[in-house]
Every structure is written in C-alpha cells, then in structure tokens.
Amino acid sequence: MVKVEKNYLFDGPKGKVSLKDLFEGRRQLIVYHLMFDPAWEKGYSGCTTFLDALGDLSLLKQRDTTFVAASRAPLAKLEANKQQKEWSIAWFSSHDSDFNCDFHVTPDPKYRKKKETASAAGHSGNTENRQHGVRLFLRIEEDIFYKYAT
C-alpha cells in the first residue's frame, strides 16, 4: 500500500469533493476510471458497456465499500450521459485534477492540455495515452492508501 499524500478534488453533483469524501464514510473505495475525454460528447463505448453490465452494487455497502466512476470530462457532460444511460452510479469529474495522471490512466500530465479533435460519435477519437481501469483505496482513520489497480 502507498499512502496518498495529495488532496485530490473532484466535481460532483453537490460541488467539489475530496478523495476522502468519495469513501462516504466507508473503509474501502473502488474507483472506475471511465475514459471520457473533455472534447468528447460521450464516454468511450467499451467503458460505458462495462458500467452497463455491472448490475446491483448494493452489497458493496454491506462490505464497507463504496464504488464510484471518475472521468476527465466536465461534470455537465457526465451528468448528461448518466441521465441518458439511466445510471444511478456516482460519477465524478477529475477534469481540474492530477488524479488521472497520477494514477496512470492519463500518463502524460501535458496530455490534459492538448486540444484534440473528436469524431462526430464523440468517443472514437484518439485514445492514445488513455486507459480505463479500476483502483482500490483503503481508508484507515484519516489516512488514505492506494492498494490495488487493474
């Protein structure tokens, strides 16, 4: 485990929240990095298919675990896509954060600043230097640890 020293902030439906806030008071946090570039109009199809197939996650709460999705697109785009897909999952924007770069789903920090051209479909543009993935975090009292990635 590696202690998370940086204070990451995300945009959510209720405003700015920290990584610690994403835990919702629970001990474990699972973050799914859904590929959604700020220039796109919707998330990458493989990633959205993954969320479509997840099913009921309510048992995670009984195991002291919270599941959220995070993407680089601005919150307004995430919220529009969430409504269209009829998802109830918590989905946060890491648009103004180093979170994706620091956890190697957008490896090059300069990449965030590049303007890209997205296709009319909104998701089949350049996916170079982007990855989806799952990250597991553990909270012990006030400390947060990065435990696992796949």
Side-chain angles (χ1 to χ4, degrees), residues 1 11 16 27-28 33 48 50 65 71 82 94 101 109 113 116 123-124 127 130 140-141 145 149:
M1 293 191 312
D11 289 321
K16 295 274 186 196
R27 188 157 190 244
Q28 295 185 101
H33 293 273
T48 59
F50 175 80
T65 303
S71 298
K82 181 178 173 177
S94 58
C101 291
K113 310 253 186 261
E116 292 190 2
H123 68 273
S124 59
T127 60
R130 281 178 251 175
I140 301 174
E141 296 177 10
F145 296 90

Side-chain angles (χ1 to χ4, degrees), residues 13 24 30-32 34 47-48 50-52 54-57 60-61 66-70 75 78-79 81-83 85-92:
E24 296 180 336
I30 300 169
V31 177
Y32 178 64
L34 190 151
C47 294
T48 59
F50 175 80
L51 284 187
D52 283 340
L54 276 180
D56 182 13
L57 298 175
L60 288 176
K61 292 178 183 178
T66 300
F67 183 96
V68 301
L75 183 63
L78 303 184
E79 289 292 311
N81 277 248
K82 181 178 173 177
Q83 184 176 2
K85 298 291 269 174
E86 299 180 353
W87 290 339
S88 61
I89 195 154
W91 196 3
F92 296 89

